[in-house]
């Protein structure tokens, strides 16, 4: 379990106060933007409750804490979607398990990730568990879109809203994961301040692939059709998240436009590519860059409607790689 709690001190203070005062709820709803550490804070709470240390739990070094770090604690269960939904059979297993007291810890925790994907049948089944849970149980629902949950579920949970993180907070977190400051700031911007998305981007190869294409498109000679098709085919066949991919391209265009407008280089996200952008700035007019930004947004919306990925990338990359001024 990695430390991903930067920016959630308010939420953690609230939970610590409940723990200290013996007022821990039996059901919580942690809700807020995707990928900002809601599940990690739920695990931290379970770790603190079952920690053997009496000073500032979780200590992260006692046997209980170590088991939770390895996701092997017998009294902490994480429930994730089976496919793309949480199904009734998963909730029935939870109900059967509720009857048994904790094996090692002080309290049993059931952490339901993406709880807003529950089927109606699963939600109705969970409602029975929430009505009279044993005193040794805490159920935590983690959701990005709580409006998808039935009102009967919402009314039985104590709700804790997680606010979006700031770019600076996510950049500091990424620095602890081995990113240099410039890369950390860039990843925070691309991921829209989502630590989970940023860490995935760091390892996925998308940044390197788009950097190769954009440096050629900006400062090199225009790409020919075959070269553009080679890129679009690779991207269409990849598992790249198209939202992140479109945002990467948009940030390149944004920085090039900002540079042409005389914005300080300190405000650029691709500061490491300053020489490339200076070398290619004359190839692009302000109006053309604005048109490209609009086209990226249009293609992004089209991809949401499940248009053909290959065709979408063909159209977009030809405009970026082959058409200038």
């Amino acid at each position: 379990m990695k430390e991903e709690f930067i920016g959630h001190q308010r939420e953690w203070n609230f939970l610590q106060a409940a723990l200290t005062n013996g007022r821990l709820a039996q059901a919580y709803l942690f809700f807020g933007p995707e990928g900002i550490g809601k599940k990690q804070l739920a695990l931290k709470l379970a770790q603190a409750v079952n920690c053997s240390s009496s000073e500032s739990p979780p200590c992260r070094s006692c046997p209980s804490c170590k088991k939770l770090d390895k996701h092997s604690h017998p009294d902490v269960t994480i429930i994730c979607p089976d496919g793309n939904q949480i199904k009734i059979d998963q909730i029935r297993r939870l109900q059967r398990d509720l009857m048994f007291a904790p094996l090692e810890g002080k309290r049993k925790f059931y952490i339901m990730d993406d709880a807003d994907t529950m089927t109606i049948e699963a939600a109705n089944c969970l409602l029975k568990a929430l009505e009279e849970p044993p005193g040794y149980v805490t159920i935590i629902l983690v959701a990005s879109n709580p409006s998808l949950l039935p009102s009967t579920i919402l009314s039985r949970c104590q709700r804790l809203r997680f606010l979006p993180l700031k770019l600076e907070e996510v950049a500091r977190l990424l620095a602890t994961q081995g990113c240099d400051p410039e890369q950390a700031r860039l990843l925070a911007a691309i991921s829209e301040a989502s630590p989970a998305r940023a860490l995935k981007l760091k390892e996925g190869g998308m940044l390197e692939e788009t950097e190769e294409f954009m440096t050629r498109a900006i400062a090199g000679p225009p790409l020919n059709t075959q070269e553009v098709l080679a890129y679009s085919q690779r991207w269409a066949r990849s598992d790249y998240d198209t939202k992140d991919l479109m945002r990467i391209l948009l940030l390149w265009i944004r920085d090039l436009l900002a540079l042409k407008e005389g914005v300080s280089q300190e405000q650029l996200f691709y500061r490491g590519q300053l020489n490339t952008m200076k070398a290619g700035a004359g190839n692009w007019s302000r109006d053309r860059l604005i048109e490209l930004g609009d086209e990226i947004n249009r293609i992004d919306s089209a991809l949401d409607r499940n248009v053909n990925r290959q065709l979408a990338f063909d159209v977009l990359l030809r405009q970026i790689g082959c058409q200038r001024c």
Side-chain angles (χ1 to χ4, degrees):
M1 184 172 66
K2 296 178 181 177
E3 285 289 349
E4 296 182 9
F5 311 109
I6 294 177
H8 296 314
Q9 194 59 47
R10 177 188 69 91
E11 293 86 347
W12 181 237
N13 288 344
F14 174 83
L15 294 169
Q16 277 188 310
L19 182 56
T20 301
N21 296 325
R23 295 181 179 175
L24 202 65
Q26 290 196 278
Y28 286 100
L29 171 64
F30 288 5
F31 69 99
E34 186 177 354
I36 62 170
K38 301 184 295 294
K39 183 177 75 172
Q40 285 72 20
L41 198 65
L43 287 166
K44 186 177 182 181
L45 177 63
Q47 199 172 44
V49 169
N50 290 310
C51 179
S52 302
S53 173
S54 58
E55 297 183 8
S56 300
C59 69
R60 306 295 296 277
S61 58
C62 70
S64 176
C65 284
K66 288 180 178 179
K67 283 185 179 181
L68 232 159
D69 273 337
K70 296 176 182 177
H71 298 293
S72 61
H73 199 294
D75 299 317
V76 179
T77 301
I78 300 173
I79 300 168
C80 298
D82 178 7
N84 57 9
Q85 290 182 310
I86 293 175
K87 299 173 182 174
I88 189 169
D89 287 344
Q90 294 173 276
I91 306 302
R92 284 172 176 161
R93 287 195 292 271
L94 180 154
Q95 281 187 315
R96 290 194 294 268
D97 194 64
L98 282 177
M99 297 184 292
F100 302 100
L103 288 173
E104 297 181 8
K106 304 165 189 172
R107 194 171 189 85
K108 295 183 79 168
F109 281 83
Y110 298 89
I111 299 168
M112 191 177 301
D113 200 15
D114 295 325
D116 43 7
T117 67
M118 269 190 294
T119 65
I120 295 297
E121 295 80 9
N124 290 335
C125 187
L126 179 65
L127 187 59
K128 297 176 184 178
L130 292 175
E131 285 174 347
E132 294 182 7
Y136 50 76
V137 165
T138 290
I139 298 172
I140 302 178
L141 309 185
V142 177
S144 301
N145 193 351
S147 64
L148 297 177
L149 291 167
S151 58
T152 48
I153 296 286
L154 298 176
S155 66
R156 285 166 173 78
C157 296
Q158 188 169 127
R159 292 173 238 185
L160 185 57
R161 181 183 180 187
F162 284 63
L163 299 175
L165 298 175
K166 297 179 181 178
L167 291 184
E168 295 79 10
E169 294 172 328
V170 177
R172 284 199 298 271
L173 168 64
L174 295 173
T176 68
Q177 304 295 320
C179 292
D180 64 66
E182 285 194 8
Q183 185 190 42
R185 185 170 177 270
L186 176 60
L187 287 170
I190 295 168
S191 67
E192 299 179 305
S194 165
R197 281 173 60 194
L199 290 169
K200 184 178 179 181
L201 276 166
K202 180 176 179 286
E203 306 298 334
M206 195 191 308
L207 283 178
E208 293 77 10
E209 182 89 20
T210 51
E211 181 177 310
E212 177 187 306
F213 174 79
M214 289 302 293
T215 52
R216 291 189 63 190
I218 288 171
L223 282 73
N224 61 45
T225 300
Q226 287 187 335
E227 290 175 312
V228 168
L229 285 175
Y231 279 105
S232 64
Q233 285 172 1
R234 287 205 303 271
W235 293 9
R237 293 169 183 169
S238 74
D239 61 354
Y240 293 160
D241 184 296
T242 55
K243 284 290 181 189
D244 289 335
L245 186 54
M246 293 300 108
R247 188 158 174 78
I248 289 172
L249 297 177
L250 204 57
L251 283 177
W252 274 96
I253 301 301
R254 176 260 185 206
D255 272 9
L256 191 57
L257 183 59
L259 186 65
K260 288 180 69 68
E261 294 289 336
V263 171
S264 166
Q265 68 182 62
E266 294 302 315
Q267 295 180 346
L268 302 179
F269 289 104
Y270 283 97
R271 285 179 290 196
Q273 298 296 329
L274 184 60
N275 291 337
T276 296
M277 284 189 282
K278 283 182 176 179
N283 295 328
W284 304 88
S285 69
R286 177 180 180 276
D287 288 344
R288 179 62 184 142
L289 290 171
I290 292 173
E291 287 175 3
L292 279 178
D294 290 341
E295 182 65 8
I296 291 169
N297 285 323
R298 188 185 73 79
I299 294 292
D300 188 20
S301 297
L303 287 166
D304 285 341
R305 298 191 297 274
N306 293 320
V307 300
N308 184 282
R309 265 171 79 108
Q310 177 75 62
L311 182 59
F313 288 138
D314 284 351
V315 170
L316 180 59
L317 298 192
R318 279 180 185 174
Q319 292 201 41
I320 298 174
C322 304
Q323 302 173 25
R324 292 183 178 172
C325 212

